[in-house]
Each structure stands twice: as structure tokens, then as C-alpha cells.
Amino acid sequence: MNWLARLSDASRRDFAFGALTLALPGGGVVPVLLISLLAGGFLGAFNGLLVWKLRLPPIVVTLGTMSIYRGVIYLLSRGAWVNENEMSPAFTAFPRLELLGLSLLAWLSILLVAAFIFALRRTRLARDLYAAGGNPHAAEYSGIDAGRAQFIAYTICGAIAGLCGYLWVARFAVAYTDIALGFELSVIAACLIGGVSIAGGTGSAVGVLLGCLFIGIIRSALPLVGISAFWQMFINGAVILVAVLLSARQRDRQGQTLEARA
Amino acid sequence: MTPGVAGIFARRWLRWETMLAAVLVAEFVLFASISPYFLDVYTLSDATFNFTERAIVALPLAMLIIAGEIDISVAAIIALSSVSMGLTASTGAGTGTVVCVGLGTGLAAGMINGALVTIGRVPSIVATIGTMTLFRGAAYAVLGDRVLKDYPPGFAEFGQGYLVGPVSNELALFVSFALLFGVFLHYTRWGQAIFAVGANPVASRFAGLAVNRYRFALFAATGLFSGLAAVLLTSRLGSTRPSIAQGWELEIISMVILGGVSVWGGKGSILGVVLAALVFGLITFGLGLMNVPGIVMSIFTGSLLILVVAVPALLGRLRLSREANS
Amino acid sequence: MRQLFIAVVALSVAIFAGCGKKESVGDGKPGHIRVGVVAKSLGNGFFDAVNRGAQEAAKELDAEVIFVGPTTPSAEGQIETLNSLIAQRVDAIAVSANDPDALVPTLKKAMDRGIKVISYDSGVAAPGRNAHLAPSSDPLIGETVVALAAELAPQVDGAAKGKIAVVSATPTSTNQNSWLAEMRRVLPRYPGLEMVAVAYGDDVSDKSYREAVALLKQHPDLAVLVSISSVGIVASAKAVEDERLTGKVKVTGLGLPSELAGYVQKGVVPKFAIWNPIDLGYSSLQVAAHLARGGDLVKPVPAGRMGRISFTADGVGAMSKPFIYDAGNVAEFAKIF
């Protein structure tokens, strides 16, 4: 089920930032981080509430809020761009600070991946989510409040999307309405390539990490090798298709179910 | 009041369509009273161009989603079809050939999707996210930074011509296909089978339905109609660039979902999709008349999508709690 | 089916009720005109500045500006915007085209209904417009950009010497492609300069950034990174700064003062060029109003404080040469656009 919670990541991510960077041009890094987590978490919680309390289909909710959030960014920012010289040096430098030879951006992702590996294997919430995704009826009969678990998942997703919003803006030093347009499909693609089942119930943090690395490496490698700009997308698509075909064949061989860690 | 299962379904989906019809009327009255330009035959005729091409793809896509699958690559298929038509036209081919190539490319692309899902056993959302990049990438790879615009003279008729008076060819095509699909889905054995496949594929297979054959045919149909949309759009624009129809996949899927088609498969109606297409088309055009920026319109369309689902859900909860109290 | 029936009845009632008052549609007081100014996309600083200029001219001309545009820079979105302007029966439309050919059928319809159409900034193919106002001419832009690159490249024996690479917008942008062609034409005047690559950042920040980084890695001896897109030049400057190549690789090209002021002060982008979008909006409205009031293009068109603009036989006029911005004047213009 956790794939669903990621759908409107991209939209939420920039929302947090269009608004934020305007509000806090000179703020320190720590409050910015907190506000980005809170703003993203709040928007995620709104999605989660609709899914939990009204039992609306998640895809409808997130498709809807995806448009709404982006429209609201435009209204709040009046379509303005926030530029590099309007951000404090600490704001833009933070993700690039180096610690033991790695940038903070890298450390953050390592930390988050580690936290998710642990959380997905060891926490009650994760077990509930796997159960709710794998077999909703069985989960309900065994007393699991699937809606509540999904609500928390949406909130976490939103908070992380908010954080990514800050990191994106700090890294590229510019913020505007259309930031991260179309990221939702890349993020979902990364999850799916990483073996998260679209029907819910299976998937692991390591898999998703591999999926992200896979897409990221192809994207940055193609311009580096000097492949013509016009062919990059085609190669991208071909590689993704080969990957999913192979993983589908492997799944068939292993039988229909992967390990469900519930 | 002891409705059977079918009765409950009928009530549920009629309520959805009632909601859409109410929204449609409200939009109409609102825009007519706000903008003095809205109620004009030619204005309304121009307005239909805002949605007809997308709505034509939404029809087969609705059936595909009812059958429990999805196709994210529709906009990319439009681009690829448009590019292949442009290349054919640049060799000096006539209108008939160009149109056939466009439809054929769409059909072939749809069959690739179908094969990936039925033979390759890849989940449809994964497969079509891949082919979306692949088809759009192929359009870029073939065309590069060139433009194709040497279409034969008669070709413009499809997207720019009118059948009678203010009724455009595009609108006439959409209405006739909507009727055709409505009859097919709701009044034939094959239509019933599509609902069955979406509601429970395993049971359908045991009941002797060739589930994969249905899936494959629906993917092929979605491809074919994307090809048709490509013919209309290309004809209306009079030129082809690889970025054509960028981002349409989410708009088309939103249209289908707004029409009350369940994303879990097994439920939905063509009437709902047609109403949803009209609601979408009118709202974007009406707000455009009031010079509301497109991105602000997205707040309206997004809220509409959620409201149409949320209001019946809320009403249902209210009724439940009242019954519990009494 | 009952719902459908009710909907149809309600619609017909609404139509009849509305048709009664249709006569009241008027164009306001005589002489007052309305001009639709269409941007490539909204939320773009350049077009906000165009709008400012247009508003300024509108005050002088007793005109009203309707400033609209699609959300994303697509031809399909622009057609929807144009259709709504046509339905509002504006007197003239000034449009910066996302696609020079795709807009033609819609704009022809506009002209059939008596609306004067001009394109500004990014042109529309000749059958779809009455006139095109270029901010500058493509040759002048190509020359200016290459001259900037030559000025910033290392000087050996009094002549510029080094490798330059270009970050463009999308591979389909009309403007960027004709400027690239002009740049290639001018380049032989500087025998020491070598154009080693053209990358496409698609006017998207992260893609432009990745492409710029890739260029810097592929060509370690690059002297100047030229970006002819306002999104690309910001991303290129950021890439050069992040790769710690400030001063070694210079960034120049076309960009907006407000977005580049910081990089000019840091020395990443010592100089860059752009025409003045406020002047462009001002002139566009002047030309559109001139046509809407029955004027023609035979004699140079009076354009208020911009003097007179002459048009060729096929309706193309050029406003002026691009303006060069550097540490001396960028702060002042950054406040405007």
C-alpha cells in the first residue's frame, strides 16, 4: 500500500517550498528544516485524512490534491520566482556541507534509507501496512486499523516530500511553481522497479533504494557519455522496460508472492 | 427497499452521475450569468475543442480501467502516432494513407502494451510507465529538433472542419463513439464480460472467460483511439513536434475517474465519462473566459475530482449515523 | 437515465434564459479597445515584465490589457487560451508562440472574426498573424552572444582563444534554434573560438543543471559556457559554482537581471545580455493598438517612447539590439525584472 502514499510527493514537495522560501528568506537552516517537514507532513496528513475518514480511493485523492496544491503554490507565490540572491548562503550551502568526505545530502539519504529498512522490518506500523496492503479483509478481522496506519504513512510521506522540497530548492537555488513537475511518475517508477507491488502488500526499502539508484544512474550517465539529447529518453524507456520484464519473469519463477514480512 | 447487489450498484452509480449532472448544470448557469460571451453558439462550439480529443481517448480507457488495468502511455502514443503521420506526409502521401498510418501506429503501440501485460506478465501500470517513456523517447529520437508540417491539403478537415453548422467533426466523432461504446459496454455480452474481468479476474477465468484476450483487445483499442486522437490533434494543429500532447495522460485518467469509473476495476459507466468530459471541458473554458490562469483552474478541477467522490461518501456517513441514532 | 433527462432540460432552460439577454453584449465606449496579451506560460518573470510594459502603453492609448497564458509552455494550452480570447471578442491579440505552426489555424480563425493578430518575442508563421515584432533580430542576438563569449574567453595574442559550449532550451524552441544558427554563422569571425557541444536543458532547472555538469565534466578545458535560455543560464551558473570552477569557466548568454544579480556579483556570470522585456511589451501593445484602430504597416509604426518601428513587406519588425548587463548596472535592473 505504501506506493500509493507516494503519489503526490512531488506536488507537495514544491508547495512546501514555494511558500516557505518566500516566508523565510533569511531564516536559519534548522527552522527551515522543521517547517519543511511540518508543511509537507500537514499536506500529507490532509490526503491521509480523506483516505482514512472518508474512505476515498487514494488515487482520486492524490490526483486531486496534486492539482490543488500546485494551484495554491501559484496563488501564494503569485507565480514569482525566488532566486539565488534572495536566499541566505546557509540556506543553499546546507545540503552541500561535507562530513567525512560525503555531502550532507548523501548522509541524509543514507540515514533515511537506514531508518526505513529498520522501520519496515521492525515496527508495528509497517506490519500493519503490509497486512492492510496484502489482504485488507484479513487485516480488518485481525483488528488492524488499516486506515489509521495509512494515514500515518501519508503523513510521513508528506513530511519527507517537504524535506525533499527544501533540498531541491537549496540544491538548484531557485524556487518556482513548476518545480519538480512530473516527478510523481519517476518516483512511482523507482518504487515499482524496486519491487514494490502495485497491488500492495510487498516491497522493501532496499528494493526502492536500488530502484532509485537505477533510474538516477541512467539519467546522469547518459549526458555524461555524450548520448544525443534526442535518444536519452528512448534509451531510458527501453532500459526500464527490460528491467520490469526481467523482474516479472523472476517473480513468476519464484511463484506469485514475494516475501511478505508481516 | 430490499435491493439486490445489482440494485445497490445501480443506486451508487446513479448517484455519482446525478452529482456530475448537477455540477454540469451549476457550471452552465454560473458561467452564463457571469460572462456575457458564454452563451453563443460559436463560443460553445469552440469550447468543445477543449476536451473532444482527450474525451475520445477516455472512452476506451474507461473500459480498460473497468477491466482492472490502466494505460499511462496514451499521451506518448498520441505523440508517436503524430510523428509517424508527419513522416508519411513528408514523403508526399495522400490524406487516406496518412490517417491509416496514424491509426496503425496507435494500434501497434497499444498491442505492444497488451503483449507486455498479457504475455510479459508485467503489471499494467509498470509496463505503461515504461512504454510511456519509450514511445515519447522514440518520437524525440526520430524527429529531433525538426517540425513536420507538410500535411496534405484535405488533412486539416478532421480537426478543423465542421459537419453541420457549429457541430465540428471532432464533436460528431466523439458523440457517435460515446453512443457506440455505451451500447457495447452496457448492453452486450462482451461488455458484461469486461465488468466481470475487472471485478474478479480469477473467478472470470474459472468461469471460462478468456481474460487475457479481453485485456489484450482493450489495450489495442486504447492504442487505436489514441491514434485517432493523434489524427484529430495533428490535423487541428497542422504540425507535429515530439512534445505534442505532453501531460495529457493524467488529464485523461482524471476525466475517467471523475466519470465514476472505479480505479479498482469492475465499476463505471460511459454516461459518467461523457458527463465528466463535459464538466472538464466547460470548467476550463468558462474559467478561461474569465481569464483565470490555467494553474488556478487546476485548483477547481482538483477540488471537483475530490468533491464528486467525497460528497456521496459524506452523505452516506450522515445517513448511517442518523439511522444508528434513531 | 432520469438524471440525464433532467440535465438536458436544465441545460435547455439555461440556454433559452441566457439567449434573451445576448443583445446587451457591447464593446463599451467607442475608441476603447481590448488587447489580449498571451505569454508562453504564466509565472515567468520575463512575461510579467512584458505585462508591465503593455499596461504602461495601455494607459497612454485608452486600451485594456488582458494578460493570459497557459500553465506550462505548450501549444495546446496556448490554443485554449486563444480560444477564450476569441470568444471574448477582443480587438487585438499579441502572442509569444510556443509553436510557430500549431497556433496558425486558431489565429486564422481569430483574424476571420476581425481580430488583429501580432506575435512578439517568439514568432508565429506568416499566415497566422498580421505582424511580428521581434525583440531584436536573430543576427543581432547571435552576434551579441558570440561577442560576449569572445570577450570572456582567454585572450592570446589579442585574440580570443578557447572552447565554448552552449546550453539551449528544448530542441524544438523556435527562438533558440535560430539564434544557434546565427551563432554558428558568426563564429568563423573568431578563429580561436571552438563550439564543442550543444546541450538541451529543456528550460527545466534540474535537467539544465545536469546537462551543464555533464558539459563541464566532458570538457575539462572549457573556457565559456554560453546559455541562450533564461532557465539554463541560472542552472549553468549554479553548476559552475558547485563544481568550484568560478573564474576558470565563465558563464554568459541571455538571462534576467533579477535572477542573475547574485551570480554577477560573485563573478560567475561577468556579463550577459537580454532585450528589455518592458520595452517589448510596450511596443507590442503600441503596434497591436495601431492595427486594431485601422492602421497599416506601410509606413513605420509610431510606438510612443520607443520611436518608430518599421516593418518589412512580410510584416516583420525588429525593436532594438540586446542590452548588455554587468556588475555596473545589474542591481538597478534587478529591481525591475
Side-chain angles (χ1 to χ4, degrees):
Chain A
M1 228 35 186
N2 43 0
W3 71 272
L4 282 172
R6 298 196 177 155
L7 184 53
S8 69
D9 266 22
S11 184
R12 224 173 297 122
R13 157 182 341 201
D14 30 317
F15 174 87
F17 281 85
L20 235 175
T21 39
L22 281 174
L24 273 184
V29 173
V30 176
V32 168
L33 280 177
L34 278 179
I35 291 174
S36 63
L37 282 168
L38 281 176
F42 172 74
L43 294 169
F46 180 70
N47 283 346
L49 266 183
L50 288 176
V51 173
W52 179 22
K53 287 298 178 193
L54 290 181
R55 303 190 170 235
L56 304 185
I59 191 162
V60 179
V61 170
T62 48
L63 271 178
T65 52
M66 182 171 82
S67 309
I68 296 174
Y69 292 162
R70 221 177 258 283
V72 171
I73 313 169
Y74 180 85
L75 281 185
L76 285 181
S77 65
R78 304 201 165 277
W81 286 49
V82 180
N83 297 305
E84 200 250 357
N85 54 341
E86 294 163 69
M87 300 175 188
S88 70
F91 180 92
T92 50
F94 178 72
R96 302 190 68 86
L97 285 180
E98 285 197 5
L99 207 69
L100 303 176
L102 281 176
S103 70
L104 262 172
L105 195 62
W107 280 115
L108 260 176
S109 17
I110 293 173
L111 208 71
L112 274 176
V113 169
F116 269 88
I117 292 177
F118 174 79
L120 283 182
R121 287 192 184 179
R122 293 272 178 264
T123 63
R124 167 96 192 275
L125 174 71
R127 278 199 302 274
D128 288 0
L129 281 173
Y130 277 119
N135 192 335
H137 295 293
E140 205 166 315
Y141 285 128
S142 52
I144 291 171
D145 189 346
R148 195 178 142 274
Q150 284 166 5
F151 168 75
I152 297 174
Y154 276 100
T155 311
I156 295 175
C157 249
I160 290 177
L163 179 68
C164 292
Y166 162 65
L167 295 174
W168 203 102
V169 169
R171 184 148 161 68
F172 298 111
V174 60
Y176 52 93
T177 313
D178 275 347
I179 270 184
L181 196 66
F183 260 40
E184 49 278 337
L185 288 181
S186 320
V187 173
I188 295 175
C191 292
L192 295 175
I193 290 176
V196 178
S197 157
I198 201 75
T202 56
S204 70
V206 178
V208 173
L209 173 69
L210 291 177
C212 291
L213 283 177
F214 183 77
I215 288 193
I217 287 172
I218 297 178
R219 281 223 177 150
S220 21
L222 287 179
L224 264 183
V225 194
I227 302 264
S228 142
F230 305 117
W231 282 92
Q232 286 177 18
M233 197 188 239
F234 181 78
I235 295 173
N236 246 319
V239 171
I240 291 178
L241 268 186
V242 171
V244 294
L245 267 175
L246 287 178
S247 83
R249 283 189 54 189
Q250 197 184 3
R251 213 171 328 150
D252 274 0
R253 218 173 292 141
Q254 288 176 354
Q256 288 297 344
T257 45
L258 280 174
E259 77 291 347
R261 293 208 177 84
Chain B
M1 284 289 271
T2 50
V5 177
I8 291 171
F9 277 178
R11 268 206 357 228
R12 167 133 180 67
W13 296 108
L14 277 180
R15 203 175 332 156
W16 189 305
E17 281 139 16
T18 319
M19 287 289 302
L20 283 176
V23 169
L24 192 58
V25 173
E27 273 182 11
F28 210 88
V29 171
L30 182 78
F31 290 131
S33 56
I34 291 179
S35 170
Y37 308 105
F38 186 73
L39 283 176
D40 177 284
V41 177
Y42 282 94
T43 300
L44 289 174
S45 162
D46 284 353
T48 61
F49 287 101
N50 275 15
F51 65 87
T52 38
E53 292 136 4
R54 273 163 273 196
I56 282 175
V57 183
L59 295 172
L61 188 65
M63 298 209 303
L64 188 65
I65 295 179
I66 289 172
E69 303 291 327
I70 197 165
D71 187 346
I72 313 245
S73 69
V74 282
I77 296 180
I78 295 179
L80 189 60
S81 290
S82 184
V83 168
S84 56
M85 281 190 286
L87 289 176
T88 317
S90 65
T91 61
T95 304
T97 323
V98 171
V99 172
C100 287
V101 167
L103 296 177
T105 310
L107 184 64
M111 285 162 76
I112 293 177
N113 283 335
L116 281 170
V117 173
T118 54
I119 303 170
R121 307 176 64 88
V122 184
S124 57
I125 191 168
V126 188
T128 54
I129 282 183
T131 50
M132 171 180 82
T133 321
L134 188 79
F135 295 153
R136 176 84 61 185
Y140 269 102
V142 173
L143 206 49
D145 56 2
R146 287 183 301 148
V147 196
L148 297 168
K149 51 180 177 177
D150 305 315
Y151 288 99
F155 185 66
E157 194 52 34
F158 293 95
Q160 297 175 35
Y162 291 85
L163 188 69
V164 253
V167 178
S168 67
N169 290 341
E170 290 199 356
L171 185 63
L173 267 176
F174 168 62
V175 171
S176 25
F177 278 120
L179 287 173
L180 202 71
F181 275 74
V183 170
F184 176 81
L185 183 65
H186 298 292
Y187 296 101
T188 66
R189 201 165 48 83
W190 299 296
Q192 293 306 314
I194 289 172
F195 279 102
V197 168
N200 194 335
V202 180
S204 307
R205 194 172 297 134
F206 285 126
L209 284 176
V211 171
N212 271 344
R213 207 172 295 164
Y214 275 98
R215 286 186 182 143
F216 185 84
L218 286 173
F219 273 108
T222 308
L224 179 66
F225 278 82
S226 304
L228 177 63
V231 171
L232 299 175
L233 179 62
T234 312
S235 157
R236 183 158 69 91
L237 300 180
S239 74
T240 294
R241 283 193 161 73
S243 59
I244 194 168
Q246 190 94 54
W248 277 23
E249 53 277 335
L250 288 184
E251 292 177 36
I252 295 172
I253 292 171
S254 299
M255 218 180 246
V256 173
I257 291 173
L258 183 65
V261 174
S262 160
V263 286
W264 312 123
K267 294 172 203 160
S269 76
I270 293 295
L271 175 62
V273 175
V274 171
L275 284 174
L278 288 173
V279 164
F280 253 116
L282 267 193
I283 204 166
T284 52
F285 192 77
L287 291 174
L289 274 183
M290 289 149 68
N291 301 311
V292 173
I295 186 112
V296 179
M297 274 182 215
S298 72
I299 300 184
F300 286 89
T301 48
S303 312
L304 199 67
L305 194 61
I306 293 181
L307 274 182
V308 172
V309 205
V311 169
L314 271 175
L315 289 178
R317 281 175 70 92
L318 271 179
R319 192 178 306 154
L320 272 182
S321 64
R322 207 177 304 144
E323 278 164 13
N325 287 339
S326 62
Chain C
M1 283 328 251
R2 212 174 45 132
Q3 285 72 18
L4 185 65
F5 177 71
I6 294 172
V8 169
V9 170
L11 276 186
S12 353
V13 170
I15 289 174
F16 281 116
C19 285
K21 62 179 183 194
K22 220 184 83 185
E23 314 308 321
S24 66
V25 176
D27 288 325
K29 50 189 189 275
H32 181 79
I33 56 167
R34 292 178 308 148
V35 182
V37 177
V38 183
K40 279 186 170 180
S41 67
L42 290 177
N44 178 330
F46 182 85
F47 289 101
D48 288 341
V50 166
N51 184 27
R52 278 179 57 142
Q55 300 286 359
E56 180 193 341
K59 270 191 208 114
E60 296 172 14
L61 293 164
D62 184 28
E64 179 191 338
V65 171
I66 301 175
F67 177 66
V68 284
T71 311
T72 50
S74 71
E76 293 94 328
Q78 253 180 341
I79 289 175
E80 290 180 7
T81 309
L82 288 170
N83 271 334
S84 79
L85 286 175
I86 295 171
Q88 294 177 62
R89 293 170 225 155
V90 293
D91 298 282
I93 290 174
V95 56
S96 172
N98 283 323
D99 183 322
D101 308 298
L103 300 187
V104 171
T106 313
L107 291 173
K108 267 188 184 159
K109 189 170 70 185
M111 292 196 289
D112 287 345
R113 297 188 190 174
I115 299 172
K116 298 291 177 193
V117 176
I118 71 163
S119 52
Y120 66 94
D121 179 45
S122 195
V124 172
R129 52 152 171 86
N130 299 103
H132 172 62
L133 181 65
S136 181
S137 62
D138 293 341
L140 282 176
I141 294 167
E143 278 166 28
T144 310
V145 171
V146 175
L148 276 173
E151 205 181 319
L152 296 175
Q155 307 294 318
V156 179
D157 304 329
K161 189 158 175 54
K163 290 184 176 174
I164 65 173
V166 180
V167 177
S168 184
T170 64
T172 56
S173 319
T174 333
N175 273 344
Q176 272 79 6
N177 286 339
S178 49
W179 299 336
L180 263 175
E182 288 299 332
M183 287 173 70
R184 291 204 171 97
R185 188 183 57 80
V186 178
L187 213 57
R189 288 189 213 161
Y190 305 92
L193 287 185
E194 185 196 350
M195 195 196 285
V196 289
V198 177
Y200 296 92
D202 291 354
D203 266 344
V204 172
S205 302
D206 56 328
K207 172 125 198 297
S208 305
Y209 182 87
R210 278 200 303 273
E211 295 286 349
V213 169
L215 284 176
L216 293 170
K217 295 230 158 100
Q218 276 165 9
H219 307 282
D221 52 345
L222 202 65
V224 184
L225 195 53
V226 181
S227 174
I228 48 177
S229 112
S230 65
V231 177
I233 193 169
V234 177
S236 304
K238 180 78 179 140
V240 166
E241 195 185 17
D242 287 351
E243 297 292 311
R244 309 223 163 84
L245 292 168
T246 307
K248 187 172 167 289
V249 180
K250 302 217 168 66
V251 180
T252 190
L254 305 172
L256 296 180
S258 60
E259 292 171 20
L260 289 172
Y263 291 114
V264 170
Q265 268 135 31
K266 285 187 218 160
V268 184
V269 184
K271 280 181 170 191
F272 65 96
I274 194 81
W275 42 91
N276 189 326
I278 298 179
D279 290 349
L280 184 60
Y282 180 88
S283 316
S284 301
L285 205 78
Q286 291 278 1
V287 175
H290 174 79
L291 290 174
R293 292 195 163 122
D296 57 37
L297 301 169
V298 183
K299 276 182 282 183
V301 176
R305 63 174 167 84
M306 295 302 291
R308 286 171 180 278
I309 299 169
S310 29
F311 285 82
T312 59
D314 53 348
V316 179
M319 192 179 74
S320 60
K321 217 172 133 179
F323 192 81
I324 308 276
Y325 301 83
D326 57 23
N329 61 10
V330 73
E332 177 193 332
F333 282 95
K335 285 179 217 137
I336 307 172
F337 69 98

